[in-house]
Amino acid sequence: PADLPAQQPGGRSGGAVGGAGVGTVGAPSQAPPRPLPVPSLAGEPHPTDLLPRAPRGFQGRTAELAALTRAAAGEAPVCLVTGPAGVGKTALALQWAHRNQAAFPDGRLFADLRGFSDTGEPALIEVLREFLLALGVAPRRVPESVAAAAALFRSLTDRRRLLVVLDNARHSATVRPLLPGGTDCVTLVTSRHRLEGLIASDAARPVPLDVLEPPDSTALLAGVLGEDRVLAEPVAARRLAELCGGLPLALRVTAARLAGRPTWTLAGLADELADERSRLAFLDVDDTGVSAALRLTVQQLPQDAVHQLARLGHHPGSHFDPYTAAALAGTDPVVATAALEQLAAAHLVTETAPGRWILHDLVRLYGRGMDPEGGPDALIGVLDHYIATALAAADTAEPGGEPCFVLPEDYHRPVAVRDFVDRPTAMHWLATERDNLALAAVAARTAGFHDRAWRIILLQWPQVVWRVRDSWSPLLELALDSARARDDAYAESRVLNLLGWVLTEEGRTAEAVALLERSPVLARQAGDRLGEATALINLAVVQAEQGELDTALEGCGRAVELAQEERDAHTEMLALQHLARMQLTANRPHEALESVRTALDLGPEHEEIARRVLLLTTSGEARLSLGEEDEGIRLLDLAAEEAENSGYDEGAVRALQALLRVTAEPDYLKRYEQAVRRLTEDG
């Protein structure tokens, strides 16, 4: 085969290529043509350079640039920069390439594969032709097939130190024919997709790219607008960065709007962006913007994933799992999981932990705009999902209890509801979903779904009991507003019961009494006898604290009777627990022990862990008051141990406090201090 010229004839952009000639692949069998004379552009051979200019106003990314350098080490590395639309993948790749020019003396190639473009992807043969011409191959010597051209490309790059940047790749299959052959060559690929096939086949080393941190976001604004303008309004600049979600494309568009309007203030534009209805419109200028970038990503997705993204836009919370996604989309968790995987592969959602996902605020707004009419259906679906799941969690965390309400008449049970294998799992779900449940309740109230709002809040009662001083009253007051909005005596009584108890525990006794005095009356009006029993118990607790022991004992006794008449052992045990405590306060330890014994005889299936701890504590204190110190200490130690083992720090503090009143055992003091510390830290 004939030798090919080492340089490209003519004046192609990017310059000529130096180096020795190499053999062709697939040359004709006839006599080889004579080599063509190749004039040099400047008397000396030049390494080819097809890179676009370095990005202007590049900010931050120190860690990512270092990660890219590490990924580029080794033999024939393929570096894969991935991330969502507009996050700055191309800018990072070009910044790194320009900073490391000296590492590639034989040249730098670049191709925009347009994997996410309205114009469509270029033919592979055209990309390879561009590369081969840049490497000095004569136009008539470029093979016509992709396989032959790729083989020639690998042969030409076999002994060179070359950088190949493949921007905006959509598929692994598009990248593979464009990989150079030399062990000293580095390939840098950017994509909105994870390209896991390329990782599997070619050991591509992923460098994921996320949004900018606030300082780098404001620095990017300053790089376009000038530092003086940003420094004049630092708070507004930070707010703009937050509203743009740290997305470089959004920040650049925002800066472009301001740069073209010197009379606009940063605070004024921040106020405009704060309106979610128009935010995306403000983040589009001319032919570029967030909506356009997202549209090009979304149009590549299958229909199930598109539908899922549109419904996720209506999610009232901050994160979601496949059950939540299924409820929003009206599908099942299996279909939802598949759609989420497709969205994650396109960097439209992010998996923060196994089975736990989030999406960027701007993606959420874009998704919502894809299906504006689907909002009510999506919201009802996710609200009923939260009700069903929280019911399952409460039943697992505190089995045997009476449901804290009847379901709404138009309630739709989800296709699938999460199972909780044990109490810790259920309590963990309630704890981690607290913010989402609160946001869902607010969204329900705003949309007029008051019957869902108060129920979603009340279903968190196991966590309320467990962490009673953890600022629950504002949320319960929202539930009370929703109950009153429907003039629902049943709902109002149920909410007042829990809110009044929380206020009592917070030391807001006067407010608690004002609420709790209404609760039994409302429950009777609604025919809710178990609700009336609970209301009487909570009211009695406050009355006892105010010194009205006789009234409190009478109310608690009536609650026991109501629970027995309704054959509800759970409520009966609750009433007996408080009755025993009041009897002990009234210096009637024998009666207190009898109440505890009756409660425990109802059976372990009705014993919530917190309730058992409190019953054991009361029993231990009653034994101490009767002079039975050894038995009293044994029971209190047992109560403290069970509380500590289950994570019930409130109960541990109570039991250990009682122990420290009768013994100076150092271990008890240490355990007490640890329980107080945990309680303080958690609260």
Side-chain angles (χ1 to χ4, degrees), residues 218 221 230 232-243 265-268 270:
T218 52
L221 290 173
V230 170
E233 297 183 80
V235 175
R238 188 176 181 90
R239 188 176 175 218
L240 279 175
E242 291 172 353
L243 289 167
T265 64
L266 275 65

Side-chain angles (χ1 to χ4, degrees), residues 14 58 293 409 565:
F58 187 88
E409 291 182 3
E565 290 168 8

Side-chain angles (χ1 to χ4, degrees), residues 312-320 324 328 357-361 364 368 379 382-383 386 433-441 443:
L312 286 173
H314 298 289
H315 180 40
S318 59
H319 57 264
F320 46 89
T324 310
L328 285 160
W357 311 75
I358 60 171
L359 75 167
H360 192 281
D361 273 352
R364 175 177 56 83
R368 185 184 300 173
L379 182 57
V382 79
L383 294 176
Y386 278 134
E433 291 295 323
R434 176 175 173 175
D435 288 344
N436 268 357
L437 293 170
L439 291 168

Side-chain angles (χ1 to χ4, degrees), residues 443-630:
R445 182 187 174 197
T446 302
F449 298 134
H450 296 289
D451 56 344
R452 265 79 172 178
W454 71 264
R455 284 177 166 88
I456 286 174
I457 294 169
L458 233 63
L459 276 169
Q460 299 174 67
W461 70 267
Q463 271 292 316
V464 176
V465 171
W466 213 243
R467 294 283 182 261
V468 66
R469 293 185 178 86
D470 199 13
S471 303
W472 292 101
S473 49
L475 195 59
L476 287 164
E477 285 164 0
L478 185 151
L480 185 59
D481 288 343
S482 286
R484 288 173 172 170
R486 292 176 61 92
D487 195 23
D488 186 340
Y490 173 86
E492 186 176 349
S493 172
R494 293 270 164 162
V495 175
L496 285 174
N497 284 344
L498 192 55
L499 176 56
W501 179 74
V502 168
L503 292 176
T504 303
E505 293 293 315
E506 291 179 352
R508 298 161 62 180
T509 308
E511 297 172 69
V513 170
L515 295 178
L516 290 170
E517 285 179 339
R518 286 181 44 78
S519 189
V521 178
L522 289 166
R524 279 195 294 275
Q525 288 177 2
D528 181 12
R529 289 169 64 83
L530 288 176
E532 182 183 353
T534 305
L536 287 168
I537 295 166
N538 291 341
L539 179 58
V541 169
V542 182
Q543 291 168 334
E545 287 190 1
Q546 292 182 319
E548 302 174 23
L549 269 176
D550 290 340
T551 306
L553 287 164
E554 182 182 346
C556 238
R558 176 57 182 154
V560 172
E561 292 171 3
L562 283 169
Q564 289 172 341
E565 290 168 8
E566 293 297 310
R567 300 182 182 279
D568 188 282
H570 181 86
T571 305
E572 182 182 354
M573 183 176 280
L574 175 66
L576 287 166
Q577 169 207 322
H578 287 284
L579 181 61
R581 172 55 59 180
M582 292 170 197
Q583 289 165 335
L584 187 61
T585 303
N587 198 26
R588 290 148 65 173
H590 287 292
E591 293 179 26
L593 285 172
E594 184 60 32
S595 294
V596 169
R597 189 178 299 110
T598 303
L600 294 175
D601 285 346
L602 289 171
E605 66 272 17
H606 305 295
E607 291 178 13
E608 299 166 10
I609 292 175
R611 183 146 305 134
R612 174 175 167 79
V613 167
L614 295 173
L615 284 166
L616 288 172
T617 301
T618 300
S619 183
E621 290 182 89
R623 293 292 182 186
L624 289 176
S625 69
L626 290 170
E628 302 172 18
E629 187 170 300
D630 290 345

Side-chain angles (χ1 to χ4, degrees), residues 101-135:
Q101 180 175 358
F104 306 103
D106 294 320
R108 298 176 295 178
L109 302 178
F110 178 92
D112 183 356
L113 300 182
R114 303 198 304 269
F116 307 90
S117 168
D118 280 331
T119 60
E121 297 174 274
L124 279 175
I125 190 64
E126 292 303 318
V127 178
L128 285 164
R129 177 182 176 83
E130 185 80 8
F131 284 179
L132 291 172
L133 291 175
L135 292 173

